[in-house]
Amino acid sequence: MVNTAVTLCGIRLDNPIIPASGTFGYGYEFAQLYDINMLGTFSFKGTTRQPRFGNPTPRIAEYAGGLLNAVGLQNPGADAVIAEELPRLRQVFHKPVMANVSGFSVEEYAETCALLAAQEQVGWLEVNISCPNVHGGGAAFGADPKAAAEVTRAVRAVTDKPLILKLSPTAADIAAVARACQDAGADGVSLINTLPGMRIDLKRRAPLLANGTGGMSGPAMLPLAVRMVYQVYQAVEIPIVGMGGVSRAEDVLELMLAGATAVGVGAANLVEPYACRNIIETLPDVMLRYGIHDLNDIIGGAHHG
Amino acid sequence: MKQTTFTIAQNSPLAEGIYRLHLQGDTTAITAPGQFVNLKLEGFYLRRPISVCDWADGELTLLYKVLGRGTEAMTRLPAGTRLDVLTGLGNGYDMTLSGDRPLLVGGGVGIPPLYGLAKRLRAQGKAVQAVLGFNSASDLFLLEDFRALQIEPVVTTADGSAGLRGLVTDGMAAAGPYSYLYTCGPEAMLRAVWQHCGTSGQFSFEERMGCGFGACMGCSCRTKYGTKRICKDGPVLQKEEILW
């Protein structure tokens, strides 16, 4: 027998697996494929105060190590999420969900977080200050410790629910941003968001994505995520949700050894719809293969010695 | 949607840059013509969405055009290769609206899903007409398959090397009266067909996709009735809801 349960900001997760925001919608498509109650939880589609269509298409491109997306925070807006998506989710998911929130101003972040935090189903708020695909918001807040702290304080003021700030790999010093979030009252940080990239269409001699750039995700991101989780773990005391290129149970253990308490799975859900179920089902055997009986014993384990 | 393994029975060229892929496996998730499947290819991260040309119990036929490295790699897959496939994706065509004399208008690699539709409409006894557009005589494919369904397609080619010189809209003018329209092809063609179409109809769209099953919002489009995902709410849209 092994123990896969961990505690994330005071809430128990049966296992550390959390489908990452933007790859799992509001849960419903995947609930038609498998019982999503087997997940630790999931982080729902990045939600803004107002509905957003997002960027023009094409929004998706491929590279050898994964994909680029420039969706641009398409979502129905906080009111519709509360009125339509959460009641529908309640039918198929009986655990606290992680509400992912984006915004274009500090006030908008606070207002959207207050609305979603008031929903009983919402366990954690994951505040995205690192979306690479929108202008004048998102990553602008995550690039700088002062701006990140400002968003954290504003959201902290409207909720007592666990508050997790989602950080960008583009920050000059991600550990400094994480520390600023912690000092401003964050209960946790999640990292990494996608890394801005570009592909160029040889026939058209123009960027493949209508937006020009898009966030890179997929297996190529794993070493970057491991390095950044490792660095942030040394800089903060609050728990880390590690993510970036995870596609199998071994990747989960690697990020936990670097310092993650829980692990997000993103791009893998899109190419392998059962990716999270497969990871959860294989995790105990993979743990035993490496002599691990309790996941809690390995969090930050690579820092010893 | 169902994830299943198909085995390649045959993978052979059909026309210039067009291949026919005959697969064997579980087709139970396919419920309507115009749906698509998403193939996992060794060495590529994203799956490749390909429309269903025809299917039967245990049999699946796909026609694909070589457009990039992924489809180029597909041409080298030998018989016996096992493929990880998500099947039964998308809404497909609604055949209940066809009336007695439906017109099918296809352009290039948009033609294959119309073959599966034509076969099923003929099985219902409908008087199906088809207008099929190609670039030139070397591109022609599926014509004999349509004829085997007792449909004599109106062929158009851009260079006039076969059939009528011109676009599918020129072919539409040459076709008889029709009760309803089904179409699939490049977006510029769909738009021209939409402008020429005198009845209601269904239009099948293409977009670059991330997942193919509604999760990533990569292929969204605006319609009169709100944002839709080409992969999940489409690829077939009703004429009346399309915004150009």
Side-chain angles (χ1 to χ4, degrees):
Chain A
M1 276 296 286
V2 296
N3 176 45
T4 60
V6 295
T7 302
L8 180 63
C9 308
I11 303 174
R12 180 194 142 99
L13 302 175
D14 291 334
N15 60 66
I17 306 306
I18 305 177
S21 182
T23 66
F24 217 71
Y26 292 91
Y28 199 73
E29 283 73 26
F30 289 88
Q32 293 172 321
L33 302 180
Y34 64 92
D35 181 6
I36 62 173
N37 291 290
M38 69 161 46
L39 302 167
T41 180
F42 75 94
S43 182
F44 67 49
K45 181 85 182 95
T47 298
T48 51
R49 183 68 191 87
Q50 301 300 329
R52 282 180 56 83
F53 174 75
N55 290 320
T57 56
R59 301 172 170 186
I60 301 285
E62 186 183 43
Y63 71 103
L67 73 129
L68 293 83
N69 91 81
V71 170
L73 297 174
Q74 179 187 332
N75 79 94
D79 294 337
V81 168
I82 291 165
E84 292 160 30
E85 301 294 347
L86 287 179
R88 197 156 74 139
L89 177 61
R90 190 191 292 276
Q91 308 297 316
V92 293
F93 189 60
H94 314 300
K95 291 178 169 181
V97 70
M98 190 176 285
N100 186 286
V101 175
S102 255
F104 295 84
S105 69
V106 172
E107 294 73 25
E108 184 189 351
Y109 275 111
E111 193 181 341
T112 310
C113 283
L115 288 169
L116 291 170
Q119 308 306 310
E120 189 196 338
Q121 286 161 275
V122 171
W124 308 258
L125 289 157
E126 181 176 47
V127 180
N128 178 5
I129 53 171
S130 46
C131 178
N133 293 326
V134 296
H135 301 287
F141 293 99
D144 168 53
K146 277 189 197 139
E150 195 188 345
V151 174
T152 307
R153 272 193 299 274
V155 177
R156 180 78 288 164
V158 300
T159 181
D160 294 326
K161 284 197 174 169
L163 181 57
I164 295 169
L165 276 287
K166 185 165 182 179
L167 309 183
S168 170
T170 60
D173 182 351
I174 196 169
V177 177
R179 205 159 43 235
C181 292
Q182 173 182 271
D183 295 346
D187 300 299
V189 286
S190 57
L191 57 132
I192 54 178
N193 206 323
T194 57
L195 181 67
M198 180 185 279
R199 294 301 310 273
I200 289 173
D201 184 338
L202 297 182
K203 288 177 191 154
R204 288 173 39 249
R205 302 188 181 186
L208 250 169
L209 296 167
N211 186 54
T213 61
M216 296 163 64
S217 59
M221 293 297 108
L222 182 69
L224 180 62
V226 171
R227 186 263 286 180
M228 288 190 153
V229 167
Y230 190 93
Q231 288 178 327
V232 168
Y233 182 79
Q234 293 178 327
V236 299
E237 281 80 53
I238 54 178
I240 298 165
V241 180
M243 68 187 88
V246 173
S247 53
R248 50 191 204 134
E250 286 84 347
D251 302 340
V252 174
L253 300 183
E254 198 171 334
L255 276 168
M256 293 187 79
L257 285 163
T261 294
V263 172
V265 180
N269 294 305
L270 306 181
V271 293
E272 176 45 69
Y274 296 95
C276 284
R277 186 179 77 176
N278 294 344
I279 291 171
I280 290 165
E281 286 176 351
T282 56
L283 187 58
D285 281 349
V286 176
M287 286 170 63
L288 287 175
R289 194 181 312 151
Y290 293 97
I292 301 162
H293 296 273
D294 185 342
L295 281 182
N296 295 279
D297 295 340
I298 68 159
I299 298 169
H303 295 263
H304 301 157
Chain B
M1 177 179 103
K2 188 171 207 167
Q3 182 171 24
T4 184
T5 302
F6 278 87
T7 304
I8 297 179
Q10 199 188 359
N11 182 22
S12 50
L14 198 60
E16 184 92 36
I18 303 279
Y19 285 72
R20 190 199 302 261
L21 184 61
H22 189 75
L23 300 165
Q24 289 171 332
D26 178 358
T27 56
T28 54
I30 301 170
T31 56
Q35 288 186 305
F36 65 99
V37 300
N38 217 355
L39 309 176
K40 179 80 186 126
L41 299 179
E42 191 72 34
F44 293 89
Y45 192 68
L46 293 176
R47 290 171 181 267
R48 263 48 185 181
I50 310 280
S51 64
V52 170
C53 176
D54 195 17
W55 80 99
D57 190 16
E59 310 276 332
L60 174 64
T61 304
L62 309 176
L63 266 56
Y64 63 93
K65 183 176 182 177
V66 178
L67 285 170
R69 285 177 55 234
T71 41
E72 207 274 320
M74 279 173 67
T75 66
R76 293 192 296 270
L77 297 173
T81 305
R82 291 161 64 83
L83 292 175
D84 170 353
V85 183
L86 306 178
T87 84
L89 301 174
N91 57 353
Y93 291 109
D94 180 349
M95 296 199 297
T96 65
L97 301 169
S98 72
D100 291 333
R101 293 181 60 81
L103 174 64
L104 279 49
V105 180
V109 79
I111 293 169
L114 295 177
Y115 172 74
L117 174 65
K119 189 174 173 182
R120 283 156 185 82
L121 288 169
R122 289 291 297 136
Q124 294 179 354
K126 310 289 178 165
V128 177
Q129 300 182 81
V131 175
L132 307 179
F134 303 89
N135 282 323
S136 81
S138 63
D139 298 331
L140 304 182
F141 61 91
L142 281 183
L143 300 186
E144 288 309 317
D145 300 80
F146 275 91
R147 287 178 188 129
L149 300 173
Q150 279 81 52
I151 300 166
E152 183 55 45
V154 176
V155 173
T156 66
T157 53
D159 66 2
S161 55
L164 296 173
R165 176 193 295 270
L167 305 174
V168 290
T169 44
D170 300 309
M172 286 170 71
Y178 53 94
S179 55
Y180 195 78
L181 181 136
Y182 296 96
T183 184
C184 183
E187 192 166 317
M189 185 206 93
L190 294 182
R191 186 170 186 161
V193 170
W194 187 83
Q195 285 161 345
H196 276 75
C197 174
T199 65
S200 184
Q202 292 170 39
F203 290 65
S204 183
F205 284 80
E206 190 173 52
E207 186 51 84
R208 279 181 186 266
M209 294 176 185
C211 63
F213 56 93
C216 73
M217 309 297 155
C219 62
S220 297
C221 72
R222 289 189 171 94
T223 74
K224 277 185 197 161
Y225 309 118
T227 303
K228 294 203 168 184
R229 299 161 293 185
I230 292 296
C231 72
K232 177 86 175 179
D233 310 309
V236 177
L237 300 181
Q238 300 289 327
K239 179 188 171 192
E240 293 75 20
E241 66 181 324
I242 297 167
L243 294 174
W244 296 102

